[in-house]
């Protein structure tokens, strides 16, 4: 496509220049351009006819098509192999898929080589490049996270887009098996398949995306266009126009006036109510109760909430909370303060086993250094994550992990 554009652009520019010059001449010399046009067309037809007659002696050239009524007689029918080169679309249900297969493990390797520079090792997105994983239960939020897992209705769109347009700058360089593997890894990054899953042309149509039913048929041409396309009302207009609402987030429906103030007042009201309840329960707090309350206080809730967002970069390999299980990495419940490499049900690399034998602990300093540069802190680790660049992100992750006990 890019080569075609490079060839087409100068030609289009040249054509535009010729037309511009023609109109200038028309203004200067009052030439009747319409009267010249039939001559130009006739010359084109003559040239096409001459070319066709010359090509009859060359058996390698495809025959020229007959001049259609009202046409120019240019070009020829596309050859089957030329059509096949463009016919690469894949539709819902797997129509158009080539034969092939690829598993999650292979997909992780290909993704790291071809896709991670833009989308991150775990499909978490790099900079302004799109996030491909996560975002579940956010579509009704003010700022929804639209990923392959949370938003895309058809798996065929993933396969088609990767095959047709990726990797960026080197489109259509991936084999069908590599595209199947990348697609399988993206599904795995969204917790939609297990790590031993293999995607192929045989089981492709069986897979249904979570948001497949999240779209509706656009019936506005039948239900609304007829209402809009009537004579406009020109009566009862307001004397002045004023802004009554402002959007708090770009591209969303604005909230009603005063809603932001109410939302800001809610936490303060809740805190005040909690203080009243606490005061009623313990009207005369003792001096020894304050240190005990401080000791039992957990991490800062705001910091924990920020850590939950940053933890999206870790969720492809690690799980926390109720029902958590080992994935590529171990469960992280109770990791803060625990022995490094001490999870009994996980097979660690040798560097973690050595740390466990030495009795090293995941205190805040150790965790902060590890999160900043995992491969430098634990030389020999199989963990491919490059690390967190911002100190505030590291602090937030630690607070988030501290909120999960054993």
């Amino acid at each position: 496509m890019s080569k075609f554009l490079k060839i087409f652009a100068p030609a289009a520019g040249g054509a535009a220049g010729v037309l511009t010059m023609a109109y200038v001449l028309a203004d200067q010399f009052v030439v009747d351009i319409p009267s010249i046009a039939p001559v130009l067309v006739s010359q084109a037809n003559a040239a096409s006819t001459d070319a066709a007659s010359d090509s009859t002696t060359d058996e390698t050239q495809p025959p020229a098509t007959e001049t259609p009524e009202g046409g120019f007689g240019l070009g020829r029918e596309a050859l089957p192999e030329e059509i096949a080169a463009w016919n690469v679309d894949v539709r819902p249900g797997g129509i158009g898929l080539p034969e092939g297969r690829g598993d999650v493990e292979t997909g992780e390797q290909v993704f790291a080589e071809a896709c991670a520079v833009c989308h991150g090792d775990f499909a978490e997105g790099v900079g302004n490049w799109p996030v491909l994983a996560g975002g579940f239960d956010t579509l009704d939020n003010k700022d929804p996270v639209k990923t392959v897992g949370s938003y895309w209705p058809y798996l065929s769109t993933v396969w088609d887009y990767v095959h047709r347009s990726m990797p960026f700058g080197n489109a259509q360089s991936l084999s069908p098996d590599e595209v199947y593997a990348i697609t399988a890894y993206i599904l795995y990054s969204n917790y939609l398949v297990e790590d031993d899953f293999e995607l192929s042309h045989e089981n492709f149509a069986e897979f249904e995306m979570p948001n497949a039913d999240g779209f509706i048929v656009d019936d506005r041409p039948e239900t609304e266009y007829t209402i809009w396309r009537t004579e406009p009302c020109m009566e009862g207009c307001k004397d002045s126009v004023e802004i009554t609402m402002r959007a708090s987030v770009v591209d969303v429906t604005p909230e009603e006036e005063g809603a932001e103030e109410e939302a800001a007042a809610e936490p303060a009201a809740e805190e005040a109510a909690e203080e009243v309840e606490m005061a009623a329960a313990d009207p005369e707090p003792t001096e020894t109760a304050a240190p005990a309350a401080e000791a039992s206080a957990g991490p800062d809730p705001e910091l924990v909430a920020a850590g939950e967002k940053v933890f999206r970069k870790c969720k492809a390999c690690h799980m926390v909370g109720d029902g958590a299980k080992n994935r590529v990495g171990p469960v992280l419940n109770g990791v803060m303060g625990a022995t490094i490499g001490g999870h009994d049900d996980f097979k660690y690399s040798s560097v973690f086993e050595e740390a466990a034998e030495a009795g090293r602990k995941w205190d805040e300093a150790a965790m902060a250094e590890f999160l900043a540069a995992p491969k430098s802190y634990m030389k020999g680790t199989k963990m491919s994550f490059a690390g967190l660049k911002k100190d505030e992100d590291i602090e937030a992750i630690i607070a988030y992990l501290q909120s999960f006990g054993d």
Side-chain angles (χ1 to χ4, degrees):
M1 178 63 76
S2 59
K3 293 181 179 179
F4 171 78
L5 290 175
K6 290 178 181 177
I7 296 172
F8 179 76
V18 171
L19 290 174
T20 303
M21 183 60 69
Y23 280 106
V24 172
L25 292 175
D27 290 337
Q28 294 293 325
F29 302 106
V30 197
V31 176
D32 185 7
I33 297 298
S35 67
I36 296 177
V39 177
L40 296 176
V41 172
S42 176
Q43 290 175 345
N45 287 335
S48 176
T49 304
D50 293 341
S53 60
D54 292 342
S55 65
T56 54
T57 58
D58 187 355
E59 297 180 356
T60 61
Q61 296 292 329
T65 58
E66 295 183 3
T67 303
E69 184 177 353
F72 298 108
L74 300 175
R76 56 173 175 77
E77 293 289 337
L79 299 176
E81 54 269 27
E82 293 172 330
I83 295 175
W86 285 92
N87 186 23
V88 296
D89 64 301
V90 177
R91 287 169 281 172
I95 300 173
L97 277 172
E99 293 188 2
R101 61 189 64 249
D103 56 33
V104 170
E105 183 177 358
T106 303
E108 182 179 13
Q109 299 171 4
V110 180
F111 191 92
E113 296 171 359
C115 315
V117 64
C118 295
H119 299 289
D121 289 332
F122 308 108
E124 76 276 11
V126 175
N128 291 327
W129 295 103
V131 179
L132 303 182
F136 293 98
D137 301 323
T138 69
L139 298 186
D140 59 349
N141 294 353
K142 295 179 180 179
D143 189 16
V145 181
K146 297 180 179 180
T147 71
V148 171
S150 69
Y151 184 72
W152 292 31
Y154 303 116
L155 187 60
S156 57
T157 310
V158 183
W159 203 100
D160 181 88
Y161 189 80
V162 173
H163 179 236
R164 183 196 301 267
S165 305
M166 295 290 112
F168 181 72
N170 194 22
Q172 298 188 26
S173 62
L174 298 170
S175 69
D177 286 348
E178 289 175 325
V179 178
Y180 277 109
I182 288 176
T183 306
Y185 179 68
I186 292 175
L187 292 177
Y188 172 73
S189 298
N190 283 280
Y191 316 118
L192 300 178
V193 298
E194 298 297 329
D195 56 3
D196 58 351
F197 175 75
E198 181 182 69
L199 182 66
S200 71
H201 65 282
E202 297 171 341
N203 65 358
F204 193 94
E206 301 172 4
F207 196 90
E208 184 173 344
M209 300 294 284
N211 199 39
D213 297 328
F215 291 79
I216 60 174
V217 175
D218 186 3
D219 61 353
R220 287 176 295 178
E222 294 77 26
T223 61
E224 298 183 20
Y225 288 2
T226 55
I227 301 175
W228 298 341
R229 295 174 181 175
T230 58
E231 288 296 324
C233 173
M234 302 299 294
E235 300 177 356
C237 301
K238 293 184 177 181
D239 296 332
S240 62
V241 178
E242 58 184 11
I243 298 174
T244 59
M245 293 181 291
R246 296 183 182 275
S248 57
V249 181
V250 178
D251 294 333
V252 300
T253 304
E255 296 180 349
E256 295 182 3
E257 187 175 5
E260 291 185 6
E261 291 78 2
E262 292 179 5
E266 286 180 1
E270 291 178 0
E271 291 177 4
E274 289 178 1
E275 291 178 1
V276 171
E277 291 178 2
M278 292 175 62
D282 189 8
E284 296 180 0
T286 61
E287 294 182 359
T288 57
E294 292 177 3
S296 61
D300 181 4
E302 291 186 3
L303 201 57
V304 172
E308 183 177 7
K309 294 180 180 179
V310 181
F311 192 75
R312 293 173 182 172
K313 300 180 180 181
C314 315
K315 292 174 70 174
C317 296
H318 298 282
M319 295 184 69
V320 292
D322 296 337
K325 60 181 181 179
N326 295 328
R327 298 180 73 84
V328 177
V331 171
L332 297 183
N333 291 339
V335 67
M336 295 305 300
T339 301
I340 297 177
H343 199 293
D344 295 334
D345 300 329
F346 186 80
K347 177 61 177 176
Y348 290 93
S349 55
S350 58
V351 64
F352 278 91
E353 292 177 351
E354 293 171 1
E357 293 176 0
R360 294 167 59 186
K361 300 289 185 179
W362 280 126
D363 55 26
E364 291 189 17
M367 183 62 74
E369 190 173 349
F370 175 75
L371 291 174
K375 293 183 179 180
S376 298
Y377 185 76
M378 300 294 286
K379 297 184 183 298
T381 179
K382 295 179 181 178
M383 184 172 173
S384 59
F385 184 55
L388 298 172
K389 306 302 181 185
K390 300 179 180 179
D391 292 339
E392 57 266 31
D393 288 347
I394 294 175
E395 184 181 1
I397 281 280
I398 292 175
Y400 181 65
L401 293 176
Q402 287 173 336
S403 67
F404 294 94
D406 297 333

